[in-house]
Amino acid sequence: QVQPVESGGGLVQAGGSLRLSCAASGSMFSITAMGWYRQVPGKQRELVALSGESSTSYADSVKGRFTISRDNAKNTVYLQMNSLKPEDTADYYCYAGHLGRSYWGQGTQVTVSS
């Protein structure tokens, strides 16, 4: 059983930066894919950034502003968020995909004030 745990959310002014971290415990092996999704009330959860075995992908809305990185030895993923905008306000969820199953963290809130 893999359990992702997020940290690093908070309140920031527009133009500022935040760094999210997620450590996935419970696996003896390197997790196949890790990434970040976000969700605002009344909308579907959407992909922000995903780091696979050999590639990364980003939502168009965050390209050039957000950077995903991983420490495979620690099964940890980070999301550096720069030039934040009010529309980035959401609950951010860590995702871990491993052995055909999906695991989600509890979420961390990011609020960007204008």
Side-chain angles (χ1 to χ4, degrees):
Q1 186 76 10
V2 174
Q3 180 57 58
V5 178
E6 306 98 338
S7 61
L11 173 64
V12 65
Q13 288 188 333
S17 298
L18 281 175
R19 188 189 193 216
L20 305 183
S21 300
C22 172
S25 61
S27 174
M28 296 177 59
F29 306 100
S30 181
I31 292 175
T32 305
M34 295 189 74
W36 296 91
Y37 286 70
R38 66 187 181 188
Q39 188 171 22
V40 297
K43 293 189 176 182
Q44 287 189 330
R45 191 171 295 186
E46 63 174 6
L47 172 70
V48 176
L50 186 66
S51 175
E53 290 185 297
S54 58
S55 64
T56 59
S57 59
Y58 295 91
D60 288 342
S61 59
V62 307
K63 285 180 179 177
R65 301 188 296 121
F66 292 10
T67 302
I68 189 170
S69 59
R70 289 178 64 173
D71 183 337
N72 289 328
K74 297 180 179 180
N75 280 334
T76 299
V77 65
Y78 307 95
L79 186 68
Q80 179 65 43
M81 304 185 293
N82 298 327
S83 301
L84 281 160
K85 303 176 181 180
E87 51 263 44
D88 294 318
T89 296
D91 291 322
Y92 284 70
Y93 295 88
C94 180
Y95 162 84
H98 188 56
L99 299 179
R101 297 187 66 179
S102 297
Y103 301 89
W104 296 94
Q106 292 297 309
T108 185
Q109 190 172 51
V110 172
T111 302
V112 184
S113 63
S114 57

